[in-house]
Amino acid sequence: AKPSHSRLAAEFGVSVRTIQRDLDHLRYTIGAPLEYDPRKKGWFYSEATFFLPSVLVSAEDLLALLLIRKAVDQYANTPYAEAAKRAFALIEQALPVRERLGAEWVQSRVEFIDFPQAPIDGEVWTAVLEGLRSSQTLQLSYAKPGARAAGRRVDPYGLIVSEGDWYLYTWSHDHQARRTYLLARIRKAEATGEVFELPADFSLAGYVRAGVA
């Protein structure tokens, strides 16, 4: 037998009116293929392959998600760009079809314009993230435009993104001062195994607000 209003209400301990409201939500908001069988006096899915989406979001939430996905295109120079796109694709697949299709206009009607960024070496990216995660001193090979690569021993304090480019904010052992390095200019990065402690007054957000130097 197919579940009726009264049977569902009794099973879940709610009123028949609540069940009707939930059925309307399934049919008209989520787009579930629910149909009523008058012969068996119950509800059923007319499409055997239908399943409830694992993520339920409002139209505003979905729009925000799609705009963020579009913004990810700005960071195509990082090794994680493709992984980020795959992650967003998985989230979108779990969204209700009607809402997802209704917001696809974002792809063709919103565009971010920025200067092209130089690519970041994948091994450098991984080493820098590990240095940040474990607070390990890094040995860098850093090349400024028109110059040969030079060694730099640094304590990585944080990553900063400015106009699409990624910078590593550090304490430079060579200069005995805080220095910022463009990730795209780092030719090689290796963890030294030495662990450092961040200064008690360290604030990456405060440094950025004061102006990156």
Side-chain angles (χ1 to χ4, degrees), residues 1-159:
K2 292 180 172 60
S4 63
H5 287 79
S6 56
R7 181 180 171 185
L8 288 169
E11 183 173 342
F12 292 105
V14 297
S15 67
V16 171
R17 180 176 295 181
T18 297
I19 292 298
Q20 182 60 57
R21 186 164 55 245
D22 290 343
L23 290 172
D24 287 344
H25 178 74
L26 284 169
R27 296 175 69 191
Y28 304 119
T29 303
I30 299 179
L34 271 175
E35 293 188 15
Y36 185 75
D37 186 337
R39 186 171 60 86
K40 295 185 177 181
K41 297 182 180 179
W43 293 89
F44 70 100
Y45 286 136
S46 59
E47 297 176 12
T49 58
F50 174 79
F51 62 93
L52 286 174
S54 56
V55 179
L56 299 178
V57 297
S58 67
E60 184 179 1
D61 293 335
L62 179 58
L63 179 58
L65 176 65
L66 293 177
L67 286 172
I68 292 171
R69 181 188 67 177
K70 193 71 175 176
V72 169
D73 293 342
Q74 294 184 98
Y75 308 119
N77 60 326
T78 70
Y80 279 179
E82 289 304 314
K85 289 180 180 180
R86 289 195 298 271
F88 274 108
L90 290 174
I91 295 173
E92 288 173 32
Q93 288 173 12
L95 296 173
V97 175
R98 181 181 299 176
E99 282 77 3
R100 185 170 72 244
L101 294 177
E104 283 191 344
W105 61 268
V106 172
Q107 283 299 96
S108 60
R109 302 293 292 276
V110 177
E111 196 65 50
F112 288 86
I113 299 176
D114 208 338
F115 298 107
Q117 297 86 34
I120 298 170
D121 182 85
E123 293 184 359
V124 168
W125 177 264
T126 301
V128 167
L129 291 185
E130 178 57 25
L132 289 168
R133 186 194 68 80
S134 58
S135 293
Q136 282 194 65
T137 299
L138 298 174
Q139 182 65 39
L140 308 180
S141 176
Y142 189 77
K144 292 184 178 180
R148 298 182 64 179
R152 295 286 186 269
R153 195 175 186 85
V154 303
D155 295 341
Y157 282 2
L159 283 175

Side-chain angles (χ1 to χ4, degrees), residues 167-213:
Y167 296 85
L168 180 63
Y169 179 48
T170 75
W171 170 262
S172 169
H173 289 247
D174 304 283
H175 298 94
Q176 287 297 295
R178 297 183 181 184
R179 289 288 188 271
T180 303
Y181 297 95
L182 181 64
L183 254 66
R185 294 179 184 169
I186 300 176
R187 300 292 178 259
K188 190 174 183 180
E190 293 181 332
T192 63
E194 298 177 17
V195 177
F196 66 90
E197 290 187 8
L198 288 170
D201 65 344
F202 171 73
S203 170
L204 187 61
Y207 170 73
V208 171
R209 284 195 294 270
V212 178

